[in-house]
Structures are given as C-alpha cells and as structure tokens.
C-alpha cells in the first residue's frame, strides 16, 4: 500500500492536471483557475503535506475544527477560506481567523463580520441559492443585488464574487445552475463600483470540476479527490 504522503501527492498531481486541462478546453489563460483544497475532517498533517507540494489555499467548514488546525499550522503562509454554514454566534471567530468567507447570504451576517474584522479587509463571496426549491442556504437571486450593495458599503469587507453549492440531486440541472450563476456574476460585475476586485466565481467540486470550469468558474473547491472520502459526520 502507498503511504499517505505518496497518495496525497498522486491526488494533487491528478487534480492539478485536471484543472489545467479544463482551462485548455475552456480556452482560458493558464493558471486562471484556482484550486481551493477542502480539508474539512482531515488532519493538519495532510494539510502540511499538500502545502509542501505547493498548495496554498485551504477551505474549512467547521469553526472549532478549523481554528485548531489553523493554530497548529500558524507558521505556514496558508490562505484560509471559510466555506461552511455561518452561525451568527460564530461570526467573530470567523472574521478574525479566516482570509476569505464564501458563504455570506444575509446582511446581518455581513454586518457582524465587518464589525468583528480588524486589519486587512475580509474577502467575501456571496452564496447564491441557484436551485431555489430544495436547498435552504444562499441568497435568493432576487435579493442578490441588495445584499451586494450593502456589502460593498461595509468598511472591513471586500466583495470578491459569488459562490454556489448546487443541489447534488438535481444533477441534470447542474450545467444550468452554473450557467445561471455565471450570468448573475457578470451582471453584478457590471454594477460593481470597483469591478476589478470582483473577480472570483467559486463553483465546482470533485464531481463537477470540468463542467464548472467550462461554465466560467475560476475557483474550484476540491475535497474528496484530494484527500479521499470523508467519514460520515455523526
Ligand atoms: C465539502 C465541500 C466541498 C468539497 O466537496 P468534495 O465533493 O469532497 O470535493 C466543496 N465545497 C463545499 C462548500 C463543501 O462543504
């Protein structure tokens, strides 16, 4: 059996290659799509191994678990992304621990993150509910513009783009969902007071990396394909 480091290296090489191939197929510039390595439930040693291979951005979902790993790894120059559901009593810890937050979907949360942040502005993505009926997280697209406006008025937040977690059950809808989010992104960029900083479309996970890039994603969030399957959460 392969040891863990060898396995992780092989996974990383495969995913890097898949991303670069997807860029070529979508006629994108080289290195225009960023890889966010989703390390939830995986040990700090796995993150260290990936970091040594050249991976600098990691995504975490659970505040307590993430804080412990971030503390262990504080000597490394990792860019930490929060991609989990935000509880309002955790906003302070999120705002002071992470560099990016992908899952802002209401004004109250945005306000609290801005209040708690000091130093460099916190990079924000708005999570959009792209397939309304089933999933409950994410802003309703009809309220997106209002939420974006309130965020770009907050002093300690920098609105960088949009993100989605499409419902995995509506697989046939995935392409439409991605296409839809890309349109919302382009429209909002047109209205943004400083469009050059509105530059990130976070969509695509292990199952739909290629599809997401072909539909305009420039940040893919990959967990399983990099670190292996996760144990089910109790
Ligand atoms: C867990 C998670 C991922 C990674 O999913 P995989 O299918 O394991 O690649 C991506 N985005 C979010 C928001 C997640 O919670």
């Amino acid at each position: 059996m392969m040891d863990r480091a060898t396995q992780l290296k092989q996974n990383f090489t495969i995913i890097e290659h898949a991303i670069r191939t997807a860029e070529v197929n979508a006629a994108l510039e080289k290195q225009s799509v960023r890889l966010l390595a989703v390390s939830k439930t995986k040990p700090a040693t796995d993150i260290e191994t990936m970091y040594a291979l050249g991976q600098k951005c990691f995504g975490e979902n659970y505040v307590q678990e993430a804080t412990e790993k971030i503390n262990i790894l504080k000597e490394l120059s990792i860019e930490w992304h929060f991609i989990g559901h935000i509880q309002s009593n955790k906003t302070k810890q999120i705002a002071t621990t992470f560099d990016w937050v992908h899952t802002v979907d209401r004004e109250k949360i945005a306000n609290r993150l801005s209040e708690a942040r000091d130093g460099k502005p916190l990079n924000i993505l708005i999570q959009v509910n792209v397939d309304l009926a089933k999933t409950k997280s994410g802003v309703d697209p009809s309220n997106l513009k209002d939420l974006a406006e309130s965020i770009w008025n907050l002093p300690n937040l920098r609105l960088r783009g949009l993100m989605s977690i499409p419902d995995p059950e509506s697989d046939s809808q995935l392409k439409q969902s991605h296409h839809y989010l890309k349109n919302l992104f382009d429209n909002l960029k047109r209205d943004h007071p400083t469009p050059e900083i509105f530059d990130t479309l976070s969509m695509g996970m292990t199952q739909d990396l290629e599809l997401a890039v072909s539909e305009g994603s420039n940040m893919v969030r990959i967990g399983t394909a990099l670190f292996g399957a996760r144990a089910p959460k109790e």
Side-chain angles (χ1 to χ4, degrees), residues 38 40 61 83 163 165 205-207 221-225 230:
V38 176
K40 61 171 175 243
N61 293 57
I83 62 171
M163 136 347 155
I165 312 174
M205 321 202 314
T206 292
Q207 288 311 319
R221 309 180 306 265
I222 308 296
T224 308
R230 291 177 292 274

Side-chain angles (χ1 to χ4, degrees), residues 112-169:
R112 291 176 67 110
L113 289 171
S114 184
E115 272 163 30
R117 180 73 172 184
D118 76 300
K120 274 207 305 184
L122 183 61
N123 296 296
I124 299 292
L125 301 178
I126 294 176
Q127 183 182 349
V128 182
N129 189 344
V130 284
D131 36 31
L132 280 170
K134 291 175 203 132
T135 27
K136 46 187 189 312
S137 305
V139 67
D140 183 315
S142 60
N143 298 326
L144 173 60
K145 179 84 189 296
D146 286 348
L147 179 58
E149 277 172 3
S150 58
I151 294 176
W152 64 55
N153 286 321
L154 289 170
N156 301 321
L157 304 187
R158 171 170 289 176
L159 184 61
R160 298 293 299 271
L162 303 180
M163 136 347 155
S164 66
I165 312 174
D167 184 344
E169 276 161 40

Side-chain angles (χ1 to χ4, degrees), residues 62-88:
Y62 311 108
V63 177
Q64 183 58 37
E65 177 198 330
T67 306
E68 286 165 22
K69 289 189 258 183
I70 291 170
N71 196 37
I72 295 170
L73 300 169
K74 58 178 181 292
E75 302 303 321
L76 309 183
S77 3
I78 290 178
E79 188 180 273
W80 292 101
H81 294 234
F82 186 76
I83 62 171
H85 177 70
I86 306 174
Q87 291 170 281
S88 56

